[in-house]
Amino acid sequence: MVEIDLVALIVDEYDPAIAFFTDVLGFDLVEDFPSLTTDGQPKRWVVVRPPGAQTGILLARGYGEHQRAAIGNQVAGRVGFFLRVDDFDAAYRRMAEAGVTFVREPRAEPYGRVAVFLDIAGNRWDLLGSA
């Protein structure tokens, strides 16, 4: 068996990122404990995951100038993350009411309904649902 377990997302600070993913997007906080960087600096190991999903997101606080410069631009301004939901309208409404910034309004595509939103760091995501 082969699977993608985690994808790292560089964030400014841990706690606001945790709140965004758990309170706004409805993810589960599955791990949060102290750790150290490779050069001995304190950090946290923080993993969030959509309920029932296998793949999670490692929330990694940007460390150093190079990493901090990538916050919000991990995929060079493209949509780089995709969140599929069962009830597109309910998810869109809930996220909009929670203050999520949508940069493209919902539209129909051959693969389903889609709207582009920004996460807490400024990365672009597709919210995807059935047609």
Side-chain angles (χ1 to χ4, degrees), residues 98-114:
V100 172
T101 300
F102 282 89
V103 295
R104 292 216 176 97
E105 296 301 312
R107 66 185 191 278
E109 294 289 345
Y111 50 85
R113 298 201 48 216
V114 61

Side-chain angles (χ1 to χ4, degrees), residues 40-112:
Q41 299 296 314
K43 69 173 186 174
R44 285 162 61 186
W45 179 266
V46 178
V47 175
V48 294
R49 184 175 286 133
Q54 295 296 315
T55 302
I57 297 173
L58 174 70
L59 299 177
R61 185 171 48 121
Y63 174 72
E65 184 178 323
H66 183 68
Q67 290 181 16
R68 294 192 62 75
I71 295 171
N73 195 30
Q74 288 197 200
V75 291
R78 295 185 58 123
V79 172
F81 306 95
F82 304 83
L83 181 63
R84 183 164 297 279
V85 295
D86 289 334
D87 188 337
F88 181 90
D89 291 327
Y92 178 82
R93 189 171 41 256
R94 181 179 47 77
M95 291 167 62
E97 289 171 359
V100 172
T101 300
F102 282 89
V103 295
R104 292 216 176 97
E105 296 301 312
R107 66 185 191 278
E109 294 289 345
Y111 50 85

